[in-house]
Amino acid sequence: MDKTVADLARAVAPITDGASIMIGGFGSSGIPFGLIDALCAQGTTGLTVISNNAGAGETGIATLLKAGRVAKVICSYPRTPGSIWFERRYEAGEVALEVVPQGTLAERIRAAGAGLGGFLTPTAYGTRLAEGKETRVIDGRGYVLEAPLHADFALVRAARGDRYGNLSYHATARNFNPVMAMGAAHTIAEVRHLASEPLDPETVITPGIFVQSVVEYGVRP
Amino acid sequence: MKSLSDSALAARVAQDIPDGSYVNLGIGKPTHVSAHLPEGREVLYQSENGLLGVGPVPPTGAEDPELIDASKRFVTPATGAAYFDQTDSFAMMRGGHIDIAVLGAYQVAENGDLANWATLDEKYPPAVGGAMDLVVGVPTILVMMRHVNRDGSPKLLKTCSFPLTGLGVVSRVYTDLAVLDVTPAGFRLVELAPGNSLDAVQALTEATILT
């Protein structure tokens, strides 16, 4: 078994127009910058991007927004300091936005990866973000039924990986990466260091079964 | 009126964080509470992006771009810290494992309703982050904010006009003018910031302040 791919361009080649893509990262931490740049260079468009934020400055998801490749963003916190490209596209009506509470976003992705039909969460009960959704009261407490969130692809960033697709992370760069690896049909991992020997099983955070391809990108963000 | 500075307000909130607590500090002003924790207390701060045990900001040159807090500041891990992914992070919140959250707010109503994620301006994209998860799962929600808006309009209301983050979730509000508990009867005065009268503070508050 060898899931390694020679370069970033080959890793993103399976992604086609109109695909839904989970992109790991929180703020500037744990973002697969190399894969995003390769996807942008490939020219793929009409994308639905699922991520916690919607990019800042001129890097990461902002690169895709600037190039006009994103049709829809599903995220918890699109507005961060420097999120100029998202705000510009949003104001012009060029990108659709679905705001999802952060914990619900993570759990919807997990439900997709874990084969669940959804879950009941107290989050957002009675608020605008629960409008139109099924609700239930259990032991006197209100819950909202949330659906699994699937995606065609996930782009994740890890500190180390091996040819089996096993991944380990560094500090707060872990964030959404493990759950997105689980939630997408095809996960592409950008790793800072591709280990020549398999990772120590005790250090594996994302088991390789959730990863379809691994590409080394040694640049430290 | 005599208004507390942001740092004096952070210090006032810090007084009420007990030793041994697990605490989530919201982005913005609440982030500064940890710097004012009284000596002798050990508190672990949770950052929703995946760190339990947020330590001090590192010296210039020693920043790790993959080690940040929820406000996207460079941080260090405190003694006893742990890293984890988003599903564990939000299990800590929703599952009732975090003791206290300190959040900013646009508006708080006298029944404890909180509005801090969206305004009525449709052109301005809403951003909820982890606020709705925190308020349903964390038993003690402390709000830290200015008493009034920049234009002088009140933030402590009978009913919130902005979209709600959570219903009846706020325990206590700390402003630059007063500390108020949310009780079944409404806002009850805990203390006034030094140099202020109840009448003057009430005049800047839409809801009635009980004493």
Side-chain angles (χ1 to χ4, degrees):
Chain A
M1 188 178 286
D2 187 0
K3 298 183 179 180
T4 59
V5 179
D7 56 54
L8 295 164
R10 260 176 266 200
V12 299
I15 305 176
T16 54
D17 289 354
S20 54
I21 307 179
M22 294 168 178
I23 300 181
F26 180 101
S28 58
S29 182
I31 294 175
F33 287 107
L35 289 171
I36 294 170
D37 287 347
L39 179 61
C40 203
Q42 182 174 277
T44 316
T45 194
L47 302 171
T48 293
V49 170
I50 301 159
S51 194
N52 189 59
N53 305 107
E58 305 273 331
T59 61
I61 295 170
T63 313
L64 295 169
L65 284 158
K66 183 181 178 182
R69 307 289 169 68
V70 182
K72 182 175 184 183
V73 171
I74 301 175
C75 73
S76 88
Y77 211 84
R79 199 180 65 228
T80 52
S83 58
I84 46 168
W85 282 106
F86 171 77
E87 286 166 46
R88 212 170 282 183
R89 298 291 180 219
Y90 181 79
E91 274 167 27
E94 292 163 350
V95 62
L97 172 66
E98 180 181 344
V99 171
V100 181
Q102 197 171 330
T104 300
L105 181 64
E107 204 62 22
R108 287 182 63 193
I109 295 168
R110 201 191 83 83
L116 301 175
F119 57 96
L120 291 161
T121 177
T123 302
Y125 184 81
T127 77
R128 184 197 274 186
L129 292 187
E131 279 172 16
K133 290 179 179 168
E134 212 176 305
T135 58
R136 271 181 75 174
V137 175
I138 301 170
D139 291 338
R141 187 164 201 214
Y143 294 83
V144 183
L145 180 64
E146 292 284 355
L149 182 59
H150 295 272
D152 301 319
F153 295 91
L155 308 182
V156 303
R157 164 88 185 177
R160 292 169 65 80
D162 64 23
R163 70 181 170 91
Y164 296 93
N166 296 314
L167 305 175
S168 69
Y169 302 88
H170 172 65
T172 56
R174 190 181 308 184
N175 56 66
F176 277 90
N177 286 301
V179 76
M180 286 180 170
M182 188 196 259
H186 181 120
T187 292
I188 306 164
E190 165 191 315
V191 298
R192 186 168 168 221
H193 178 71
L194 181 61
S196 52
E197 294 299 314
L199 301 187
D200 174 354
E202 290 284 12
T203 69
V204 172
I205 303 294
T206 296
I209 193 169
F210 297 129
V211 176
Q212 278 62 49
S213 64
V214 180
V215 58
E216 190 173 45
Y217 184 64
V219 176
R220 180 144 196 208
Chain B
M1 304 301 300
K2 228 164 159 243
S3 175
L4 284 185
S5 67
D6 283 353
S7 105
L9 181 56
R12 176 61 191 87
V13 176
Q15 299 257 321
D16 291 351
I17 309 287
D19 184 35
S21 313
Y22 291 106
V23 177
N24 182 293
L25 300 176
I27 62 173
K29 287 189 178 74
T31 311
H32 302 291
V33 168
S34 58
H36 298 276
L37 191 73
E39 295 235 0
R41 295 185 200 174
E42 188 173 32
V43 168
L44 284 181
Y45 298 98
Q46 195 235 25
S47 186
E48 66 202 34
N49 55 317
L51 170 58
L52 186 63
V54 178
V57 171
T60 307
E63 298 93 347
D64 178 345
E66 294 192 330
L67 182 41
I68 60 172
D69 70 6
S71 297
K72 283 99 181 173
R73 293 184 313 158
F74 296 117
V75 294
T76 53
T79 306
Y83 300 122
F84 39 86
D85 85 321
Q86 286 295 289
T87 57
D88 282 353
S89 181
F90 283 82
M92 291 176 194
M93 295 181 197
R94 277 191 316 260
H97 307 282
I98 308 275
D99 301 305
I100 297 171
V102 184
L103 302 175
Y106 295 140
Q107 301 175 332
V108 178
E110 61 187 1
N111 64 352
D113 286 358
L114 171 68
N116 77 348
W117 73 283
T119 65
L120 299 175
D121 182 353
E122 293 292 332
K123 290 198 299 291
Y124 200 58
V128 67
M132 286 191 185
D133 303 284
L134 276 170
V135 298
V136 297
V138 179
T140 300
I141 301 293
L142 307 180
V143 164
M144 176 180 171
M145 65 179 193
R146 309 309 293 176
H147 202 89
V148 295
N149 291 306
R150 283 206 188 95
D151 65 3
S153 59
K155 290 162 71 86
L156 290 158
L157 307 172
K158 291 189 162 76
T159 309
C160 294
S161 59
F162 288 177
L164 296 183
T165 307
L167 284 66
V169 294
V170 175
S171 306
R172 182 176 268 200
V173 184
Y174 300 79
T175 79
D176 50 326
L177 302 180
V179 179
L180 303 162
D181 273 340
V182 177
T183 73
F187 291 119
R188 186 173 296 280
L189 184 69
V190 176
E191 68 196 44
L192 294 164
N196 294 290
S197 72
L198 178 59
D199 286 350
V201 174
Q202 177 64 72
L204 297 171
T205 310
E206 186 195 88
T208 304
I209 300 174
L210 308 169
T211 53

